[in-house]
Amino acid sequence: MKQKLMVTYRDGMREKNCVLGRKYTLTHSDITGELFLTIGKEYAFDRISSIRDEVLGSFRNDCGLYFYVYVLIDDPTEEGRSSIRNRIFREELPGALSAIRVGDEHLYQADPELDNLPIWVYFDSNEAQWEAYEYYGSLREYRNSQHK
């Protein structure tokens, strides 16, 4: 099933505005399969369900510019599901990164160098075996919607 992507800009973050301070919130509907990408100055916490299966992203400049992604591995509604959520997030993350990249296409057209930025993903968990900070390539690798 091909997923439909709905993009919403908030806080004046329309298309080619600033990179630093730009925050991405990617959520989805299990019923329709639709993906919802909100781009704003703040994360769209109002779009996040109690299941907490969103993907959050932002550009950061700690020791050079990179794209930071955050996912919550721990299940806030049911204990003992971290291994399942870890597997699902890792399977679905390439598609989520592609949705973020494709959803903000105008930004990358305006500044093609952004495609060369590295992606670092933080898998947040209270359990040491699931908590990780990993390199996920560059944004260039996710510029088509063929990732799933």
Side-chain angles (χ1 to χ4, degrees):
M1 167 174 59
K2 185 168 170 81
Q3 295 178 319
K4 184 175 181 182
L5 177 63
M6 308 294 290
V7 180
T8 303
Y9 290 92
R10 291 183 176 177
D11 309 318
M13 281 291 168
R14 192 79 183 144
E15 296 172 0
K16 298 174 247 182
N17 285 6
C18 63
V19 172
L20 289 175
R22 194 176 195 90
K23 297 203 175 11
Y24 299 85
T25 307
L26 183 68
T27 59
H28 74 279
S29 168
D30 287 330
I31 296 168
T32 65
E34 290 176 301
L35 294 171
F36 303 96
L37 178 62
T38 305
I39 303 167
K41 292 180 182 174
E42 302 294 330
Y43 294 115
F45 290 110
D46 59 308
R47 303 291 312 254
I48 297 173
S49 74
S50 62
I51 298 171
R52 293 298 311 263
D53 56 358
E54 75 281 353
V55 174
L56 303 177
S58 65
F59 291 96
R60 292 194 175 177
N61 192 6
D62 297 336
C63 295
L65 194 59
Y66 66 98
F67 192 72
Y68 171 83
V69 176
Y70 173 90
V71 294
L72 178 63
I73 298 299
D74 298 338
D75 188 333
T77 63
E78 186 177 335
E79 241 179 272
R81 292 182 31 95
S82 294
S83 66
I84 294 167
R85 286 174 57 92
N86 183 63
R87 179 183 51 79
I88 291 169
F89 270 118
R90 288 176 181 279
E91 287 173 2
E92 299 296 331
L93 196 53
L97 293 171
S98 182
I100 290 170
R101 171 58 183 78
V102 170
D104 207 10
E105 180 69 27
H106 298 289
L107 178 71
Y108 298 93
Q109 289 173 349
D111 189 352
E113 287 301 310
L114 294 174
D115 264 336
N116 298 321
L117 294 180
I119 301 168
W120 287 94
V121 179
Y122 177 50
F123 296 91
D124 187 10
S125 177
N126 291 324
E127 299 178 50
Q129 65 190 19
W130 307 122
E131 185 177 30
Y133 194 61
E134 298 179 9
Y135 173 69
Y136 258 72
S138 70
L139 289 162
R140 177 175 313 288
E141 298 169 44
Y142 302 95
R143 66 180 171 193
N144 64 53
S145 58
Q146 305 221 345
H147 287 282
K148 183 115 169 72

